[in-house]
Amino acid sequence: MGVSQPTGYFELLIIGRFLSGVNAGVSLCVQPLYLGEIAPREFRGGMSMGTAIFLTGGLLIGQVIGLQELLGRAEHWPLLLSTTCIPAVLQLLTLPWFPESPRYLLMDKGDATACTKALKQLHGGDDYHKEMEDMEKERINTLGVQAKKPWELFSDRSIRWQLITAILINCAQQLNGINAIYFYASYIFRQAGIPEDKLLYATVGTGACECLTALTCGFLIDSLGRRVLIIGGYTLMAVWCICVTVTVTLQELSPWVPYLSMACVFAFVFSFGLGPGGVTNILTVELFTQTTRPAALAIGGAVNWLSFFFIGMVFPFLVNGLQQYCFLVFLVICILVVLYIFFIVPETKNKTFLEIHEEFLSRNLSKKNRSEGTNDLGANVLSIPR
């Protein structure tokens, strides 16, 4: 991307964007998977939040170095785009020193020696036995079961609710209104009287807000749990959807209303970062065992990116048709997600992957038994002579 202007080949810019997109798609699936598998059970939430924390941190850095005072001028765009090589080079230098996932080594490769070595490197010489015991139980439970391909998950009834949950929360992460709030932010800041040349600084403020809330979520997730944060986040987002709709509609009512709209924007971003922004990836990792987790993350990642593409295509028409009332659509989505998680998804904090799987399995079996019991009762009623 950096040499596309000096050479005069715009195709290099397209190729660079394509390769960056490939890396983003792969890493956003593999990184939560790796962090979730190497983390001790009691710190799994906080470590897995690293994905969201550094993702929002990277977005914030991009917003900052894109300011006019730094690399935001037209003549500096090749240098700005070239900065993506910095994290790439750092990872190429450091990742070879990282151990392979111990769960992958034990359950997929059957290499107990390499697994123990990786655990000692990650947890220390004396602190790995608890994790080894958990992995051994899961390995015994999945003996003879091959790792599944993504399309095979759709026919596996034992993980039906886990798969539905993963698809729903990844879809909702993009369709909950966060992209709409960023779209409306410039309009709201402009109505509040912020000069045109200062709007970028206000946008940087929203990025900083999301980064700070992701960091806060990382500190809270292992104490409060996943359900509290994601339900609380979506509930607050539903409230702010109403507030944004009302305040944007009444912009001309009073000089202080635009400032109230600004507060609602920051509150919406805060609520997203505190719950859905970080917890979604962690839940997707925790709902599955070793044989289904990689395939489930591939499905979740694909759904997430497709939802992002969908909202990018549909949102302009939604805004043109509904204007500020488009937030009422996102309000409905947030409420539906809250209800689904409240009634279907159990708390996963401080539980092994096997315990979470068995909890869902018992839920599936109890529903199946109730259904069969109802059918038997219906059959008995029908068989009574008249």
Side-chain angles (χ1 to χ4, degrees):
M1 291 188 289
V3 299
S4 62
Q5 186 191 47
T7 59
Y9 291 108
F10 70 89
E11 293 87 354
L12 292 174
L13 185 64
I14 297 173
I15 292 171
R17 294 281 291 176
F18 174 78
L19 294 176
S20 297
V22 170
N23 176 68
V26 172
S27 61
L28 284 176
C29 287
V30 175
Q31 190 187 65
L33 174 67
Y34 183 74
L35 291 176
E37 289 188 355
I38 68 172
R41 188 200 316 176
E42 59 271 21
F43 302 121
R44 191 167 61 221
M47 282 190 63
S48 298
M49 274 299 300
T51 302
I53 292 170
F54 286 97
L55 178 62
T56 55
L59 292 172
L60 176 60
I61 291 172
Q63 290 174 334
V64 171
I65 64 175
L67 294 173
Q68 292 285 329
E69 291 83 355
L70 298 174
L71 298 178
R73 299 180 184 274
E75 62 270 21
H76 292 153
W77 71 259
L79 182 60
L80 177 62
L81 294 180
S82 297
T83 57
T84 56
C85 72
I86 297 173
V89 171
L90 288 175
Q91 291 204 53
L92 286 172
L93 293 175
T94 56
L95 287 178
W97 301 98
F98 284 37
E100 182 55 87
S101 163
R103 290 180 176 275
Y104 171 78
L105 292 171
L106 181 65
M107 300 181 202
D108 292 296
K109 293 296 184 181
D111 193 341
T113 303
C115 171
T116 303
K117 182 180 178 181
L119 281 173
K120 287 181 179 179
Q121 183 178 344
L122 291 166
H123 299 282
D126 300 320
D127 299 328
Y128 71 93
H129 298 287
K130 181 180 176 182
E131 296 298 320
M132 190 69 178
E133 290 175 5
D134 290 341
M135 285 191 289
E136 186 62 26
K137 290 178 183 177
E138 187 175 336
R139 186 189 69 82
I140 294 172
N141 186 265
T142 57
L143 277 175
V145 180
Q146 296 295 321
K148 294 184 180 293
K149 303 293 190 296
W151 55 87
E152 293 176 334
L153 300 189
F154 292 97
S155 59
D156 189 345
R157 297 181 64 84
S158 66
I159 58 166
R160 177 180 56 184
W161 286 106
Q162 294 97 306
L163 185 60
I164 292 173
T165 302
I167 292 173
L168 185 142
I169 61 177
N170 276 280
C171 185
Q173 190 181 34
Q174 298 295 344
L175 304 183
N176 56 26
I178 187 63
N179 299 298
I181 210 73
Y182 277 116
F183 174 86
Y184 257 98
S186 296
Y187 166 76
I188 291 172
F189 295 153
R190 194 178 291 111
Q191 290 296 107
I194 296 177
E196 195 71 28
D197 59 338
K198 304 297 182 183
L199 285 177
L200 281 175
Y201 299 99
T203 305
V204 170
T206 59
C209 178
E210 188 174 354
C211 184
L212 288 173
T213 50
L215 187 61
T216 304
C217 182
F219 286 117
L220 296 176
I221 192 166
D222 284 316
S223 56
L224 295 181
R226 286 59 158 160
R227 270 171 55 91
V228 171
L229 288 175
I230 196 167
I231 290 176
Y234 273 114
T235 302
L236 288 173
M237 288 171 72
V239 172
W240 301 126
C241 279
I242 298 172
C243 294
V244 169
T245 303
V246 172
T247 54
V248 173
T249 303
L250 303 177
Q251 285 283 309
E252 308 299 331
L253 186 65
S254 174
W256 56 265
V257 176
Y259 295 98
L260 191 57
S261 297
M262 282 184 61
C264 291
V265 167
F266 282 100
F268 191 97
V269 174
F270 175 86
S271 304
F272 173 79
L274 194 62
V279 180
T280 299
N281 281 335
I282 300 169
L283 270 180
T284 307
V285 170
E286 292 182 327
L287 294 180
F288 300 88
T289 56
Q290 189 67 25
T291 57
T292 56
R293 188 180 302 113
L297 276 166
I299 293 173
V303 168
N304 199 299
W305 285 108
L306 285 172
S307 300
F308 181 73
F309 174 78
F310 173 80
I311 196 66
M313 293 293 102
V314 172
F315 182 69
F317 300 100
L318 196 64
V319 172
N320 288 335
L322 300 176
Q323 296 185 3
Q324 71 271 21
Y325 297 105
C326 68
F327 286 100
L328 298 180
V329 176
F330 304 122
L331 166 68
V332 173
I333 292 173
C334 290
I335 291 174
L336 290 176
V337 175
V338 167
L339 293 174
Y340 178 87
I341 294 174
F342 182 81
F343 288 108
I344 300 297
V345 183
E347 178 56 69
T348 59
K349 180 185 73 173
N350 204 26
K351 294 179 182 177
T352 66
F353 296 125
L354 186 58
E355 289 171 345
I356 298 166
H357 174 72
E358 289 175 345
E359 190 165 347
F360 267 101
L361 195 59
S362 64
R363 183 190 299 267
N364 291 340
L365 288 174
S366 64
K367 289 185 177 181
K368 181 180 178 182
N369 291 335
R370 285 199 299 269
S371 175
E372 290 177 350
T374 303
N375 292 337
D376 291 342
L377 178 61
N380 291 333
V381 170
L382 290 174
S383 65
I384 295 175
R386 297 181 181 274

